[in-house]
């Protein structure tokens, strides 16, 4: 019930106004800082020529973004196009083999990218969690899954496992950690589902079909095994009314988002600024805060939603601080913490927390709308 609790329209309007105003104000300061720092010596390595027709250089400090849209762009388009083409062909010729085609094609793509020994490593993790699922103990499956994830962060296990990748290329480490971690998460989902429903007798083949589904393999999104199995097991794929339009709309939004991020990197040097601590220290608190973001019923239920949003805002900033340590430097994280929590207290601290709270409430409103739409779709599909 909590996610479906509505707030007054006036309150949501206030949240939208506060968030928009705060982002505009902070964005202006960040834009000015990017313009002022464009010619600094510390920026030269990361601010390179970009779209000349807009007269702005581009922040290329995010090497992963640059690689995906330069040397790896054609590889991605080729691999995913092949996935769609062969899936369509298999659906027309041998629909019962469609799920096998997904697994074989995905495994070949992974082997071609990372090498056969890396594929063998992943198969080892799959078999290990599959064997654990046969014992029917959820705690064992979850514990083994967590241990497998930890093995990608602990030496000497991480060094040993990374040695299974053949060749050397710029995105090797990113693809290694992405593919390995998501493999463990998918295998854990399979194992827990198998323990929850022992009567369904899932096989190792079902796990491999799930894990090597190429569009999800390296970076998700994560679809739980029960949902994936239900969809891929359909001999004739069935789309809900309007789903094809929804797919096209999402594809269009993805293209718009990619363009927006690229434009953003031309005007806001959010990844390069943290590398120059002297310059970052001169930023106003609002711009610094924006920079870190690279880096029962009735009234009682409404109050419950407000309280959950407040804790959600604090949790959001806890995640941001963790990501700052991972993606930037410890010194920049210390600078942000000191400015936002100590020297800026209470004005800056409470202001940023309130703006974040407004954003969380708007996200929850979106989740509420989607939940209601999903409920309405399910009601329409129920037999009379």
């Amino acid at each position: 019930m909590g996610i479906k609790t509505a707030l007054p329209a006036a309150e949501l309007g206030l949240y939208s106004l506060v968030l928009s105003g705060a982002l505009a104000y902070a964005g202006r300061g960040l834009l000015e800082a990017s313009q002022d720092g464009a010619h600094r010596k510390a920026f030269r390595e990361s601010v390179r020529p970009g779209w000349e027709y807009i007269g702005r250089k581009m922040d290329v400090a995010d090497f992963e973004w640059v690689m995906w849209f330069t040397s790896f762009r054609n590889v991605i388009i080729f691999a995913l196009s092949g996935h769609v083409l062969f899936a369509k062909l298999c659906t027309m010729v041998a629909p019962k083999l469609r799920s096998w085609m997904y697994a074989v094609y995905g495994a070949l793509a992974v082997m071609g990218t990372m090498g056969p020994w890396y594929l063998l490593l992943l198969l080892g993790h799959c078999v290990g969690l599959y064997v654990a699922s046969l014992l029917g103990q959820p705690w064992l499956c979850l514990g083994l899954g967590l241990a497998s994830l930890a093995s990608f962060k602990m030496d000497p296990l991480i060094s040993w496992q990374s040695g299974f990748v053949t060749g050397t290329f710029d995105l090797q480490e990113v693809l290694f950690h992405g593919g390995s971690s998501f493999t463990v998460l998918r295998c854990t989902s399979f194992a827990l589902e198998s323990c929850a429903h022992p009567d369904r007798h899932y096989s190792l083949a079902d796990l491999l079909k799930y894990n090597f589904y190429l569009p999800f393999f390296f970076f998700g999104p994560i679809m739980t095994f029960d949902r994936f199995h239900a969809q891929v097991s359909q001999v004739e794929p069935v789309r809900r009314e309007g789903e094809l339009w929804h797919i096209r709309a999402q594809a269009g939004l993805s293209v718009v988002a990619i363009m927006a991020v690229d434009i953003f990197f031309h005007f806001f040097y959010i990844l390069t600024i943290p590398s120059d601590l002297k310059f970052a220290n001169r930023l106003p608190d609002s711009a610094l805060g924006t920079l870190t973001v690279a880096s029962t019923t009735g009234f009682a239920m409404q109050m419950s939603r407000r309280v959950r949003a407040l804790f959600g805002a604090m949790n959001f900033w806890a995640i941001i601080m963790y990501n700052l340590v991972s993606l930037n430097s410890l010194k920049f994280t210390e600078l942000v913490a000191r400015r936002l929590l100590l020297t800026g207290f209470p004005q800056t601290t409470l202001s940023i927390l309130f703006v974040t709270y407004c954003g969380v409430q708007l996200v929850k409103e979106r989740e509420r709308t989607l939940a209601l739409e999903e409920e309405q779709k399910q009601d329409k599909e129920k037999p009379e």
Side-chain angles (χ1 to χ4, degrees):
M1 281 297 295
I3 195 174
K4 297 178 184 177
T5 304
L7 292 179
E11 184 175 343
L12 291 173
L14 175 62
Y15 293 152
S16 300
L17 182 62
V18 170
L19 183 62
S20 301
L23 290 177
Y25 177 75
R28 179 182 177 183
L30 195 55
L31 176 61
E32 292 176 351
S34 299
Q35 291 174 333
D36 294 341
H39 302 292
R40 289 177 63 86
K41 183 178 180 180
F43 283 34
R44 291 176 184 172
E45 290 298 320
S46 299
V47 178
R48 302 285 181 84
W51 292 351
E52 297 295 340
Y53 49 84
I54 63 174
R56 292 282 297 182
K57 293 183 178 180
M58 181 181 182
D59 187 344
V60 296
D62 190 342
F63 79 95
E64 183 181 342
W65 178 270
V66 174
M67 285 301 301
W68 281 126
F69 290 95
T70 53
S71 58
F72 269 76
R73 176 183 56 199
N74 296 334
V75 175
I76 299 169
I77 295 175
F78 177 78
L80 293 181
S81 297
H83 170 86
V84 174
L85 178 63
F86 285 110
K88 186 63 176 178
L89 181 63
C90 195
T91 300
M92 295 170 58
V93 178
K96 292 183 179 180
L97 299 178
R98 184 167 57 99
S99 59
W100 274 112
M101 187 286 306
Y102 287 146
V104 173
Y105 185 88
L108 290 176
V110 173
M111 184 173 67
T113 304
M114 305 292 284
W117 291 107
Y118 178 72
L119 181 64
L120 185 63
L121 172 67
L122 298 185
L123 289 174
H125 283 284
C126 291
V127 171
L129 276 158
Y130 173 72
V131 172
S133 71
L134 297 178
L135 301 177
Q137 300 295 326
W139 64 268
L140 179 62
C141 297
L142 184 60
L144 181 59
L146 293 175
S148 299
L149 281 178
S151 71
F152 297 112
K153 281 293 185 181
M154 298 171 57
D155 273 324
L157 292 176
I158 177 60
S159 300
W160 175 70
Q161 292 184 100
S162 61
F164 279 81
V165 182
T166 57
T168 302
F169 50 94
D170 290 339
L171 281 179
Q172 176 177 304
E173 185 176 357
V174 175
L175 295 181
F176 170 80
H177 284 286
S180 304
S181 301
F182 276 102
T183 288
V184 172
L185 291 176
R186 285 186 289 265
C187 290
T188 304
S189 175
F190 168 88
L192 293 175
E193 183 68 18
S194 182
C195 292
H197 302 282
D199 55 308
R200 297 181 181 175
H201 304 292
Y202 295 125
S203 65
L204 178 60
D206 292 322
L207 173 57
L208 297 180
K209 294 174 187 177
Y210 172 47
N211 184 61
F212 289 103
Y213 183 68
L214 186 59
F216 292 173
F217 181 80
F218 284 108
F219 297 106
I222 298 176
M223 176 183 284
T224 55
F225 175 74
D226 56 334
R227 293 178 58 197
F228 177 85
H229 188 263
Q231 291 189 24
V232 81
S233 298
Q234 296 175 349
V235 177
E236 290 292 337
V238 178
R239 291 194 177 98
R240 295 174 178 175
E241 183 181 354
E243 186 173 1
L244 189 58
W245 179 90
H246 179 72
I247 293 174
R248 291 170 177 168
Q250 289 299 317
L253 288 174
S254 298
V255 173
V256 172
I258 291 172
M259 297 294 291
V261 171
D262 220 35
I263 293 174
F264 192 82
F265 282 159
H266 279 82
F267 287 93
F268 299 92
Y269 302 151
I270 57 175
L271 299 174
T272 296
I273 290 176
S275 64
D276 189 343
L277 292 180
K278 291 183 179 179
F279 184 73
N281 196 37
R282 297 205 303 264
L283 293 178
D285 291 344
S286 58
L288 188 64
T290 304
L291 183 65
T292 60
V293 176
S295 349
T296 156
T297 59
F299 181 73
M301 288 297 292
Q302 290 178 0
M303 287 304 298
S304 173
R305 171 171 162 173
R306 294 183 183 108
V307 171
R308 286 184 285 112
L310 178 60
F311 281 99
M314 292 187 288
N315 182 63
F316 178 78
W317 273 98
I319 295 173
I320 287 178
M321 298 306 292
Y322 172 81
N323 286 335
L324 281 181
V325 177
S326 303
L327 302 177
N328 289 288
S329 64
L330 181 60
K331 290 184 177 180
F332 180 70
T333 306
E334 292 175 350
L335 170 64
V336 172
R338 184 174 66 253
R339 289 279 298 278
L340 300 186
L341 299 178
L342 297 178
T343 59
F345 185 84
Q347 292 89 349
T348 300
T349 307
L350 296 180
S351 298
I352 289 181
L353 185 61
F354 177 65
V355 171
T356 307
Y357 167 83
C358 294
V360 171
Q361 282 288 21
L362 294 176
V363 171
K364 287 186 175 295
E365 180 63 20
R366 176 60 177 167
E367 291 175 350
R368 186 185 75 86
T369 303
L370 293 176
L372 292 176
E373 290 177 355
E374 185 67 23
E375 188 179 71
Q376 292 173 357
K377 289 180 181 179
Q378 293 176 357
D379 290 340
K380 290 181 180 179
E381 294 173 357
K382 289 180 180 179
E384 295 296 337

